[in-house]
Amino acid sequence: MKDMILKVRNLKVHFPVKGEILPRVVGHVKAVDDVSFRIGYGETLGLVGESGCGKTTTGRAMIRLIKAQAGQVLFEGKDILQLGKQDLNAVRKNIQMIFQDPFAALNPRMSIGDAIEEVLYIHNYGSKQARRKRAAELIETVELNRAYLSRYPHELSGGQRQRIVLARALAVDPKLIICDEPVSALDVSIQAQTVNLLEDLQKHFNIAYLFISHDLSVVKHLSKRIAVMYLGKIVETADSEELFAHPSHPYTRALLDSVPSIDPDMKKERVLLEGDMPSMTEQGQGCRFHSRCPNVMERCYHEEPQTIDVGGGHAVDCHLYAVE
Ligand code: SF4
């Protein structure tokens, strides 16, 4: 097994809910509830789930863009949640985050060359001439022509802008990049190119990725392991091939069935995910998937399932696998 660059243990992010009449706290939304996972050096973990399941909050809490209430985020053995300002800044240089909307991440009044050089300047990289040379190298690293350095964000396509965001992230030689839905706003053909580029960069620079997406088919290509998240909790984790061959949690099976297939035999057995994900404030007792689960049983309504190891590093939170 590869050495781990990141270990997240029992991470919790709970937001207070205020009463409608009096502004006092009447409850908590458990946006991230006891989430644990690990990522090896140069490895990708896919974190998958529907919009609003807590996967973005997990990524943001890891680098303290959102405050976590409990847990550990161990990056090369140091708990990010406990670091002082100076150590936190040093760690943040090693962990970059890219988002769904590259346009929002770029200053529309700044040329692409200046946008890349800005990151180098912030991190005290050499002279102006050295920064210009490095910006030209970085734009070629993300497979764009140097001519783009003099252009502005509005002159680029969505895919090209995402490459510039990636070039800025690479400027500080990160060891881990949190990719939050980085391709979901792009056309399908551009998605594939961007995922291939991420894969090439990983091989070349040994970067680890936490790849957050609502789309299992996008995550499959890049991820060694996949964690499936539902209503603030990871409900299934397995190696990518194992997860696609033997999806065990009813939610994972429904997510997989929502991926279009050209195989006519597959269509007969599809389990469709009905209804929307309940609000996090509606979480009651029992399994948080029970209101949508085709396999729901009596105990699912009042007993929360524990994590069960079904073998080969495949773990699932579901009463279907409980051995009495
Ligand atoms: Fe469905 Fe019950 Fe398993 Fe939850 S514990 S996923 S409700 S079978």
Side-chain angles (χ1 to χ4, degrees):
M1 196 205 276
K2 283 194 177 188
D3 285 344
M4 293 296 143
I5 189 169
L6 184 88
K7 293 179 190 167
V8 174
R9 290 187 185 147
N10 310 106
L11 187 68
K12 289 185 184 176
V13 182
H14 295 180
F15 298 117
V17 179
K18 300 252 172 88
E20 283 181 19
I21 300 170
L22 293 172
R24 64 186 173 88
V25 176
V26 293
H28 285 88
V29 169
K30 297 177 179 175
V32 179
D33 197 16
D34 217 5
V35 161
S36 301
F37 56 82
R38 38 179 66 196
I39 306 176
Y41 282 88
E43 205 171 81
T44 302
L45 175 78
L47 185 59
V48 180
E50 288 165 284
S51 172
C53 72
K55 53 195 192 305
T56 291
T57 306
T58 302
R60 287 171 182 251
M62 280 167 51
I63 51 172
R64 285 173 51 182
L65 295 179
I66 291 175
K67 190 175 178 342
Q69 273 65 49
Q72 288 183 315
V73 180
L74 298 166
F75 179 78
E76 298 192 311
K78 286 184 187 167
D79 186 0
I80 295 175
L81 303 187
Q82 302 299 330
L83 293 179
K85 201 174 168 194
Q86 211 172 351
D87 289 337
L88 179 63
N89 286 341
V91 165
R92 277 190 178 151
K93 183 172 167 293
N94 285 314
I95 307 177
Q96 295 292 301
M97 189 159 184
I98 59 174
F99 301 95
Q100 178 175 352
D101 181 5
F103 202 54
L106 297 169
N107 182 339
R109 285 187 290 276
M110 200 179 256
S111 73
I112 299 305
D114 287 348
I116 300 174
E117 285 179 45
E118 181 191 39
V119 182
L120 295 164
Y121 177 78
I122 290 167
H123 290 94
N124 301 317
Y125 185 95
S127 63
K128 180 144 186 64
Q129 201 179 9
R131 290 195 290 274
R132 187 150 296 176
K133 184 166 173 280
R134 179 77 181 123
E137 286 167 7
L138 284 163
I139 203 161
E140 288 184 344
T141 303
V142 295
E143 297 172 2
L144 286 176
N145 192 293
R146 288 181 185 216
Y148 283 93
L149 289 168
S150 58
R151 297 196 188 170
Y152 286 81
H154 71 273
E155 298 178 87
L156 274 56
S157 69
Q160 289 166 339
R161 284 197 286 263
Q162 196 59 288
R163 283 169 190 251
I164 300 305
V165 171
L166 205 46
R168 277 167 56 95
L170 293 173
V172 290
D173 297 322
K175 294 179 180 176
L176 170 70
I177 301 182
I178 301 170
C179 307
D180 186 6
E181 301 272 12
V183 298
S184 48
L186 307 178
D187 291 345
V188 174
S189 61
I190 308 295
Q191 282 187 4
Q193 287 174 17
T194 310
V195 168
N196 288 340
L197 174 64
L198 284 166
E199 195 172 35
D200 290 346
L201 294 172
Q202 181 169 63
K203 281 186 196 141
H204 199 77
F205 299 110
N206 198 36
I207 306 167
Y209 296 131
L210 174 65
F211 195 97
I212 295 170
S213 178
H214 67 282
D215 187 342
L216 262 170
S217 59
V218 169
V219 167
K220 181 185 183 185
H221 187 67
L222 198 64
S223 305
K224 182 177 185 306
R225 286 177 66 72
I226 295 177
V228 179
M229 196 162 179
Y230 187 78
L231 267 187
K233 202 149 189 125
I234 289 178
V235 295
E236 183 163 9
T237 312
D239 279 359
S240 182
E241 280 183 24
E242 161 69 12
L243 190 93
F244 276 80
H246 305 112
S248 298
H249 196 283
Y251 178 59
T252 310
R253 292 205 289 260
L255 271 188
L256 273 173
D257 282 350
S258 67
V259 175
S261 168
I262 53 168
D263 182 348
D265 293 335
M266 292 283 291
K267 286 181 186 156
K268 290 180 203 151
E269 296 172 20
R270 285 164 79 106
V271 179
L272 290 177
L273 197 51
E274 290 185 354
D276 291 331
M277 194 168 61
S279 148
M280 294 233 182
T281 52
E282 292 167 17
Q283 273 176 44
Q285 285 184 322
C287 172
R288 52 195 73 201
F289 189 55
H290 74 69
S291 63
R292 302 167 86 189
C293 181
N295 306 95
V296 64
M297 305 172 276
E298 176 55 32
R299 68 187 291 194
C300 306
Y301 293 101
H302 49 80
E303 196 182 324
E304 185 164 18
Q306 301 299 305
T307 303
I308 297 162
D309 186 343
V310 292
H314 189 162
V316 57
D317 289 29
C318 176
H319 291 314
L320 290 173
Y321 303 89
V323 179
E324 300 301 332

